[in-house]
Short mmCIF file of all heavy atoms in Angstrom, two decimals:
data_model
loop_
_atom_site.label_atom_id
_atom_site.label_comp_id
_atom_site.label_asym_id
_atom_site.label_seq_id
_atom_site.Cartn_x
_atom_site.Cartn_y
_atom_site.Cartn_z
N GLU A 7 1.19 -2.93 -13.27
CA GLU A 7 1.29 -2.69 -11.84
C GLU A 7 0.14 -1.83 -11.33
O GLU A 7 -0.36 -2.04 -10.26
CB GLU A 7 2.63 -2.00 -11.56
CG GLU A 7 2.97 -1.97 -10.08
CD GLU A 7 4.38 -1.47 -9.82
OE1 GLU A 7 5.23 -1.56 -10.72
OE2 GLU A 7 4.60 -0.98 -8.71
N TYR A 8 -0.26 -0.82 -12.14
CA TYR A 8 -1.21 0.15 -11.60
C TYR A 8 -2.59 0.09 -12.22
O TYR A 8 -3.49 0.75 -11.77
CB TYR A 8 -0.64 1.57 -11.77
CG TYR A 8 0.62 1.75 -10.99
CD1 TYR A 8 1.81 2.07 -11.60
CD2 TYR A 8 0.61 1.56 -9.61
CE1 TYR A 8 2.97 2.22 -10.87
CE2 TYR A 8 1.77 1.69 -8.88
CZ TYR A 8 2.94 2.03 -9.51
OH TYR A 8 4.08 2.17 -8.78
N HIS A 11 -7.04 -2.97 -10.52
CA HIS A 11 -6.92 -3.80 -9.33
C HIS A 11 -8.30 -4.10 -8.80
O HIS A 11 -9.10 -3.19 -8.60
CB HIS A 11 -6.13 -3.07 -8.24
CG HIS A 11 -4.72 -2.79 -8.64
ND1 HIS A 11 -3.74 -3.74 -8.63
CD2 HIS A 11 -4.13 -1.67 -9.12
CE1 HIS A 11 -2.60 -3.21 -9.06
NE2 HIS A 11 -2.82 -1.96 -9.37
N ILE A 13 -10.02 -5.90 -5.57
CA ILE A 13 -9.86 -6.56 -4.27
C ILE A 13 -11.25 -6.73 -3.68
O ILE A 13 -12.00 -5.77 -3.57
CB ILE A 13 -8.98 -5.74 -3.32
CG1 ILE A 13 -7.57 -5.55 -3.92
CG2 ILE A 13 -8.87 -6.44 -1.96
CD1 ILE A 13 -6.62 -4.77 -3.05
N VAL A 18 -10.14 -0.98 -7.11
CA VAL A 18 -9.48 -0.08 -6.18
C VAL A 18 -8.34 0.67 -6.86
O VAL A 18 -7.86 0.27 -7.92
CB VAL A 18 -8.93 -0.84 -4.95
CG1 VAL A 18 -10.05 -1.54 -4.20
CG2 VAL A 18 -7.86 -1.83 -5.34
N GLU A 19 -7.92 1.74 -6.23
CA GLU A 19 -6.83 2.56 -6.74
C GLU A 19 -5.57 2.23 -5.96
O GLU A 19 -5.59 2.18 -4.74
CB GLU A 19 -7.21 4.03 -6.51
CG GLU A 19 -6.16 5.01 -6.94
CD GLU A 19 -6.51 6.44 -6.52
OE1 GLU A 19 -7.45 6.64 -5.75
OE2 GLU A 19 -5.78 7.34 -6.97
N VAL A 20 -4.48 2.00 -6.68
CA VAL A 20 -3.20 1.72 -6.02
C VAL A 20 -2.16 2.64 -6.63
O VAL A 20 -2.03 2.71 -7.85
CB VAL A 20 -2.76 0.25 -6.26
CG1 VAL A 20 -1.38 0.00 -5.68
CG2 VAL A 20 -3.77 -0.72 -5.64
N LYS A 21 -1.46 3.39 -5.79
CA LYS A 21 -0.37 4.21 -6.32
C LYS A 21 0.68 4.39 -5.24
O LYS A 21 0.40 4.23 -4.06
CB LYS A 21 -0.89 5.55 -6.81
CG LYS A 21 -1.60 6.36 -5.78
CD LYS A 21 -2.26 7.58 -6.43
CE LYS A 21 -2.96 8.43 -5.39
NZ LYS A 21 -3.80 9.46 -5.98
N ARG A 22 1.88 4.73 -5.67
CA ARG A 22 2.94 4.95 -4.68
C ARG A 22 2.61 6.18 -3.85
O ARG A 22 2.19 7.19 -4.39
CB ARG A 22 4.29 5.14 -5.38
CG ARG A 22 4.93 3.83 -5.72
CD ARG A 22 6.33 4.02 -6.26
NE ARG A 22 6.79 2.76 -6.81
CZ ARG A 22 7.57 1.91 -6.16
NH1 ARG A 22 7.99 2.16 -4.95
NH2 ARG A 22 7.93 0.78 -6.72
N THR A 37 8.61 2.39 -0.70
CA THR A 37 7.85 1.15 -0.84
C THR A 37 6.47 1.27 -0.21
O THR A 37 5.82 0.27 0.06
CB THR A 37 8.59 -0.02 -0.17
OG1 THR A 37 8.82 0.31 1.20
CG2 THR A 37 9.91 -0.29 -0.85
N LYS A 38 6.05 2.50 0.03
CA LYS A 38 4.74 2.68 0.63
C LYS A 38 3.73 2.98 -0.48
O LYS A 38 3.96 3.85 -1.31
CB LYS A 38 4.77 3.84 1.64
CG LYS A 38 3.54 3.91 2.51
CD LYS A 38 3.73 4.92 3.62
CE LYS A 38 2.74 4.68 4.74
NZ LYS A 38 2.91 5.61 5.84
N MET A 39 2.66 2.22 -0.51
CA MET A 39 1.65 2.38 -1.53
C MET A 39 0.36 2.89 -0.90
O MET A 39 -0.02 2.45 0.18
CB MET A 39 1.34 1.03 -2.20
CG MET A 39 2.56 0.26 -2.65
SD MET A 39 3.39 1.01 -4.05
CE MET A 39 2.44 0.31 -5.38
N PHE A 40 -0.29 3.81 -1.61
CA PHE A 40 -1.62 4.25 -1.21
C PHE A 40 -2.62 3.32 -1.87
O PHE A 40 -2.46 2.95 -3.03
CB PHE A 40 -1.87 5.69 -1.68
CG PHE A 40 -3.31 6.11 -1.55
CD1 PHE A 40 -3.78 6.61 -0.34
CD2 PHE A 40 -4.19 6.00 -2.62
CE1 PHE A 40 -5.11 6.98 -0.21
CE2 PHE A 40 -5.52 6.38 -2.50
CZ PHE A 40 -5.98 6.87 -1.28
N ILE A 41 -3.64 2.93 -1.14
CA ILE A 41 -4.69 2.11 -1.71
C ILE A 41 -6.03 2.73 -1.33
O ILE A 41 -6.26 3.08 -0.18
CB ILE A 41 -4.55 0.64 -1.24
CG1 ILE A 41 -5.64 -0.23 -1.86
CG2 ILE A 41 -4.54 0.51 0.27
CD1 ILE A 41 -5.34 -1.71 -1.75
N GLY A 42 -6.88 2.96 -2.33
CA GLY A 42 -8.15 3.64 -2.08
C GLY A 42 -9.30 2.97 -2.82
O GLY A 42 -9.09 2.15 -3.71
N LEU A 44 -11.58 1.03 -1.42
CA LEU A 44 -11.81 -0.32 -0.90
C LEU A 44 -13.24 -0.50 -0.39
O LEU A 44 -13.86 0.44 0.09
CB LEU A 44 -10.88 -0.58 0.30
CG LEU A 44 -9.39 -0.67 -0.01
CD1 LEU A 44 -8.60 -0.53 1.28
CD2 LEU A 44 -9.07 -1.97 -0.70
N GLU A 50 -7.22 -6.17 6.45
CA GLU A 50 -5.78 -6.10 6.22
C GLU A 50 -5.24 -7.38 5.58
O GLU A 50 -4.40 -7.32 4.69
CB GLU A 50 -5.06 -5.82 7.54
CG GLU A 50 -5.19 -4.40 8.06
CD GLU A 50 -6.44 -4.12 8.91
OE1 GLU A 50 -7.38 -4.96 8.94
OE2 GLU A 50 -6.50 -3.04 9.52
N ASP A 51 -5.73 -8.52 6.04
CA ASP A 51 -5.22 -9.79 5.52
C ASP A 51 -5.51 -9.96 4.03
O ASP A 51 -4.69 -10.46 3.28
CB ASP A 51 -5.82 -10.98 6.30
CG ASP A 51 -5.23 -11.07 7.70
OD1 ASP A 51 -4.17 -10.46 7.95
OD2 ASP A 51 -5.84 -11.75 8.54
N GLN A 52 -6.71 -9.54 3.62
CA GLN A 52 -7.08 -9.66 2.21
C GLN A 52 -6.16 -8.79 1.34
O GLN A 52 -5.75 -9.19 0.25
CB GLN A 52 -8.54 -9.24 2.00
CG GLN A 52 -9.52 -10.25 2.55
CD GLN A 52 -10.94 -9.69 2.56
OE1 GLN A 52 -11.21 -8.65 3.15
NE2 GLN A 52 -11.84 -10.38 1.91
N ILE A 53 -5.85 -7.61 1.84
CA ILE A 53 -4.99 -6.70 1.09
C ILE A 53 -3.58 -7.25 1.01
O ILE A 53 -2.95 -7.26 -0.04
CB ILE A 53 -5.02 -5.30 1.74
CG1 ILE A 53 -6.42 -4.72 1.59
CG2 ILE A 53 -3.96 -4.39 1.11
CD1 ILE A 53 -6.66 -3.48 2.40
N LYS A 54 -3.09 -7.75 2.14
CA LYS A 54 -1.74 -8.34 2.18
C LYS A 54 -1.63 -9.48 1.17
O LYS A 54 -0.70 -9.55 0.38
CB LYS A 54 -1.47 -8.85 3.60
CG LYS A 54 -0.09 -9.46 3.80
CD LYS A 54 0.06 -9.86 5.27
CE LYS A 54 1.50 -10.14 5.66
NZ LYS A 54 2.04 -11.39 5.10
N GLU A 55 -2.63 -10.35 1.17
CA GLU A 55 -2.60 -11.50 0.28
C GLU A 55 -2.65 -11.04 -1.18
O GLU A 55 -1.94 -11.57 -2.04
CB GLU A 55 -3.79 -12.41 0.59
CG GLU A 55 -3.80 -13.68 -0.23
CD GLU A 55 -5.01 -14.55 0.09
OE1 GLU A 55 -5.50 -14.51 1.24
OE2 GLU A 55 -5.46 -15.25 -0.83
N TYR A 56 -3.47 -10.05 -1.45
CA TYR A 56 -3.59 -9.53 -2.83
C TYR A 56 -2.25 -9.00 -3.32
O TYR A 56 -1.79 -9.34 -4.40
CB TYR A 56 -4.65 -8.43 -2.89
CG TYR A 56 -4.76 -7.82 -4.27
CD1 TYR A 56 -5.56 -8.41 -5.24
CD2 TYR A 56 -4.06 -6.66 -4.60
CE1 TYR A 56 -5.65 -7.86 -6.51
CE2 TYR A 56 -4.14 -6.11 -5.86
CZ TYR A 56 -4.93 -6.71 -6.82
OH TYR A 56 -5.01 -6.16 -8.07
N PHE A 57 -1.63 -8.16 -2.52
CA PHE A 57 -0.35 -7.55 -2.93
C PHE A 57 0.72 -8.61 -3.12
O PHE A 57 1.47 -8.57 -4.08
CB PHE A 57 0.11 -6.51 -1.91
CG PHE A 57 -0.39 -5.13 -2.22
CD1 PHE A 57 -1.67 -4.75 -1.89
CD2 PHE A 57 0.44 -4.21 -2.85
CE1 PHE A 57 -2.14 -3.48 -2.19
CE2 PHE A 57 -0.02 -2.93 -3.15
CZ PHE A 57 -1.32 -2.58 -2.82
N GLU A 58 0.81 -9.54 -2.18
CA GLU A 58 1.88 -10.54 -2.26
C GLU A 58 1.69 -11.43 -3.48
O GLU A 58 2.65 -11.83 -4.12
CB GLU A 58 1.94 -11.34 -0.96
CG GLU A 58 2.44 -10.46 0.18
CD GLU A 58 2.74 -11.22 1.47
OE1 GLU A 58 2.23 -12.35 1.64
OE2 GLU A 58 3.46 -10.66 2.31
N THR A 59 0.43 -11.72 -3.82
CA THR A 59 0.16 -12.56 -4.99
C THR A 59 0.38 -11.78 -6.27
O THR A 59 1.05 -12.23 -7.19
CB THR A 59 -1.30 -13.07 -4.93
OG1 THR A 59 -1.51 -13.72 -3.68
CG2 THR A 59 -1.58 -14.04 -6.06
N LYS A 60 -0.17 -10.57 -6.32
CA LYS A 60 -0.15 -9.77 -7.55
C LYS A 60 1.25 -9.25 -7.88
O LYS A 60 1.67 -9.25 -9.02
CB LYS A 60 -1.11 -8.60 -7.37
CG LYS A 60 -1.10 -7.60 -8.50
CD LYS A 60 -2.29 -7.79 -9.40
CE LYS A 60 -2.27 -6.74 -10.49
NZ LYS A 60 -3.31 -7.00 -11.48
N PHE A 61 1.96 -8.78 -6.87
CA PHE A 61 3.25 -8.14 -7.11
C PHE A 61 4.43 -9.03 -6.76
O PHE A 61 5.57 -8.62 -6.88
CB PHE A 61 3.36 -6.84 -6.32
CG PHE A 61 2.34 -5.82 -6.72
CD1 PHE A 61 1.47 -5.29 -5.79
CD2 PHE A 61 2.23 -5.40 -8.04
CE1 PHE A 61 0.52 -4.34 -6.16
CE2 PHE A 61 1.29 -4.46 -8.42
CZ PHE A 61 0.44 -3.93 -7.47
N ASN A 62 4.14 -10.23 -6.24
CA ASN A 62 5.22 -11.14 -5.87
C ASN A 62 6.21 -10.44 -4.94
O ASN A 62 7.41 -10.40 -5.20
CB ASN A 62 5.92 -11.66 -7.12
CG ASN A 62 6.85 -12.80 -6.79
OD1 ASN A 62 6.68 -13.46 -5.77
ND2 ASN A 62 7.82 -13.05 -7.63
N CYS A 63 5.68 -9.81 -3.90
CA CYS A 63 6.51 -9.05 -2.98
C CYS A 63 6.17 -9.49 -1.55
O CYS A 63 5.26 -10.28 -1.35
CB CYS A 63 6.24 -7.56 -3.13
SG CYS A 63 4.55 -7.10 -2.70
N GLN A 64 6.89 -8.96 -0.61
CA GLN A 64 6.58 -9.20 0.80
C GLN A 64 5.92 -7.95 1.35
O GLN A 64 6.47 -6.86 1.22
CB GLN A 64 7.86 -9.45 1.59
CG GLN A 64 8.53 -10.70 1.15
CD GLN A 64 8.38 -11.80 2.19
OE1 GLN A 64 9.32 -12.33 2.64
NE2 GLN A 64 7.17 -12.15 2.58
N VAL A 65 4.77 -8.11 1.98
CA VAL A 65 4.10 -6.97 2.58
C VAL A 65 4.56 -6.85 4.03
O VAL A 65 4.43 -7.80 4.81
CB VAL A 65 2.56 -7.13 2.51
CG1 VAL A 65 1.87 -6.05 3.33
CG2 VAL A 65 2.10 -7.07 1.06
N GLU A 66 5.12 -5.71 4.37
CA GLU A 66 5.58 -5.49 5.75
C GLU A 66 4.42 -5.08 6.64
O GLU A 66 4.32 -5.50 7.78
CB GLU A 66 6.66 -4.41 5.79
CG GLU A 66 7.97 -4.89 5.19
CD GLU A 66 9.05 -3.83 5.26
OE1 GLU A 66 8.90 -2.87 6.04
OE2 GLU A 66 10.04 -3.96 4.53
N SER A 67 3.56 -4.20 6.12
CA SER A 67 2.43 -3.76 6.95
C SER A 67 1.31 -3.23 6.09
O SER A 67 1.54 -2.76 4.97
CB SER A 67 2.88 -2.67 7.93
OG SER A 67 3.28 -1.52 7.21
N VAL A 68 0.09 -3.35 6.61
CA VAL A 68 -1.09 -2.77 5.98
C VAL A 68 -1.73 -1.88 7.03
O VAL A 68 -2.05 -2.34 8.13
CB VAL A 68 -2.10 -3.86 5.54
CG1 VAL A 68 -3.34 -3.22 4.94
CG2 VAL A 68 -1.46 -4.82 4.55
N GLY A 90 -6.13 3.30 2.69
CA GLY A 90 -5.05 3.06 3.64
C GLY A 90 -3.73 2.99 2.91
O GLY A 90 -3.60 3.45 1.78
N PHE A 91 -2.74 2.43 3.59
CA PHE A 91 -1.40 2.36 3.05
C PHE A 91 -0.85 0.95 3.21
O PHE A 91 -1.11 0.30 4.21
CB PHE A 91 -0.48 3.35 3.76
CG PHE A 91 -0.90 4.77 3.54
CD1 PHE A 91 -1.73 5.41 4.46
CD2 PHE A 91 -0.50 5.46 2.41
CE1 PHE A 91 -2.14 6.71 4.25
CE2 PHE A 91 -0.90 6.77 2.19
CZ PHE A 91 -1.72 7.40 3.11
N VAL A 92 -0.10 0.52 2.22
CA VAL A 92 0.54 -0.79 2.26
C VAL A 92 2.04 -0.54 2.13
O VAL A 92 2.47 0.14 1.20
CB VAL A 92 0.07 -1.66 1.09
CG1 VAL A 92 0.74 -3.04 1.14
CG2 VAL A 92 -1.45 -1.81 1.10
N THR A 93 2.81 -1.07 3.06
CA THR A 93 4.26 -0.96 2.96
C THR A 93 4.79 -2.30 2.48
O THR A 93 4.54 -3.33 3.11
CB THR A 93 4.89 -0.60 4.32
OG1 THR A 93 4.30 0.61 4.78
CG2 THR A 93 6.39 -0.41 4.19
N ILE A 94 5.48 -2.27 1.34
CA ILE A 94 6.00 -3.52 0.79
C ILE A 94 7.51 -3.51 0.82
O ILE A 94 8.15 -2.47 0.88
CB ILE A 94 5.51 -3.76 -0.66
CG1 ILE A 94 5.90 -2.59 -1.57
CG2 ILE A 94 4.02 -4.03 -0.68
CD1 ILE A 94 5.54 -2.82 -3.01
#
Side-chain angles (χ1 to χ4, degrees):
E7 193 172 336
Y8 297 120
H11 296 282
I13 300 181
V18 300
E19 178 188 10
V20 175
K21 58 188 181 191
R22 277 187 191 261
T37 57
K38 192 171 199 178
M39 311 290 275
F40 168 85
I41 181 164
L44 293 164
E50 286 86 348
D51 288 343
Q52 288 170 303
I53 294 169
K54 181 177 195 287
E55 184 181 330
Y56 177 85
F57 269 80
E58 291 189 341
T59 305
K60 174 103 178 172
F61 298 123
N62 191 22
C63 63
Q64 295 253 236
V65 171
E66 289 181 17
S67 65
V68 177
F91 296 94
V92 180
T93 303
I94 57 175

